[in-house]
Amino acid sequence: MSLPAPSYADRPARPLVLLSCPAEAPEALCRSLTQALTRAATGQIVRQAPVDAPALRPGDTAVTLDVTRHGPAALSGRLDWQGTDGGGDGAVLRLDVMDAGLEAIDYDDFTRDLLRVWPALVARLHAAAP
């Protein structure tokens, strides 16, 4: 997914969570992660952004979905985050389904679990709320 980089003039005063999804990630997966981050990032604005988005302001968080494997019935990946005060890499999660291919509900469960296994990121998203 290719998005134009937002300019500073387009940026709201509230902290941003800028999500970068790889081009090869299914649209439903990125949409699900955007929704999960929106629920977790109380008081912040979640936007999908290109990897070359402008520099972060204090309080902003860049979240990158790192898909390490994706197939019709399998998915593995992790979240990486970066702020002006540091960053980190989450645990790699793996999802395999039997008897069918991956569906939107599988992506919802996967993205919820990506956040669940990383309480430090969730705490950061809550703490940055105005």
Side-chain angles (χ1 to χ4, degrees):
M1 169 178 318
S2 178
L3 300 172
S7 72
Y8 285 107
D10 297 335
R11 298 180 73 182
R14 292 191 299 172
L16 296 176
V17 176
L18 299 172
L19 170 62
S20 296
C21 281
E24 66 275 5
E27 179 65 32
L29 175 60
C30 293
R31 186 172 43 252
S32 178
L33 183 53
T34 300
Q35 292 169 351
L37 286 169
T38 299
R39 286 189 297 274
T42 309
Q44 298 174 70
I45 297 171
V46 177
R47 288 187 177 168
Q48 287 193 12
V51 174
D52 62 347
L56 298 173
R57 301 171 305 181
D60 289 351
T61 304
V63 177
T64 302
L65 174 62
D66 180 14
V67 176
T68 56
R69 185 179 71 143
H70 182 259
L75 173 65
S76 62
R78 69 177 186 186
L79 295 178
D80 303 327
W81 73 270
Q82 184 66 47
T84 58
D85 57 345
D89 302 326
V92 175
L93 294 186
R94 181 177 168 171
L95 171 66
D96 293 298
V97 295
M98 308 291 265
D99 304 329
L102 291 169
E103 297 180 7
I105 193 160
D106 299 315
Y107 295 137
D108 292 344
D109 291 342
F110 184 76
T111 58
R112 184 187 63 238
D113 290 345
L114 281 173
L115 291 173
R116 186 181 318 190
V117 300
W118 205 2
L121 174 59
V122 174
R124 176 186 174 80
L125 296 174
H126 284 299

